[in-house]
Amino acid sequence: MTSATCIDDPAIDPAPPPAPFDTFIGEGLGKLDGVGGSLVRFVFIDAGEPGGNNDKAQIQIYSGSDTSTPLVLDVPLSFLTRGNLQAHFDQPHK
């Protein structure tokens, strides 16, 4: 992770459970086809239960470490067709 921002959009309710944010925006560097140094940018939005068609995600992957390199994956901000994004306070771990 090289950047992470959490936003609480008043038009979105991530509950239950209650959460201090509903939108997570981030980017980081990682491997693409086994080669390090590729940039990933993403947005995840938790719009409450039951998830699925309420939650949204956006993902972009670049072949190099910045946006001047070729974009190799571009998933526009879209509703999920499966799964459930969940923003919530950290849960106790045992």
Side-chain angles (χ1 to χ4, degrees), residues 57 75 92-93:
V75 177
H93 298 103

Side-chain angles (χ1 to χ4, degrees), residues 6-93:
C6 294
I7 298 170
D8 183 18
D9 182 337
I12 299 172
D13 182 10
F21 70 97
D22 47 58
T23 304
F24 178 42
I25 303 168
E27 62 181 50
L29 297 173
K31 291 183 179 181
L32 175 64
D33 293 330
V35 178
S38 293
L39 174 67
V40 62
R41 300 173 78 184
F42 58 87
V43 177
F44 297 130
I45 299 174
D46 176 8
E49 297 305 319
N53 293 347
N54 295 321
D55 297 344
K56 295 181 183 178
Q58 174 184 10
I59 303 169
Q60 295 176 316
I61 298 176
Y62 293 85
S63 63
S65 61
D66 61 57
T67 58
S68 69
T69 61
L71 180 63
V72 296
L73 177 71
D74 188 11
V75 177
L77 187 62
S78 308
F79 288 105
L80 300 184
T81 57
R82 296 176 149 185
N84 185 7
L85 299 175
Q86 293 203 341
H88 53 73
F89 289 100
D90 191 23
Q91 303 299 304
H93 298 103

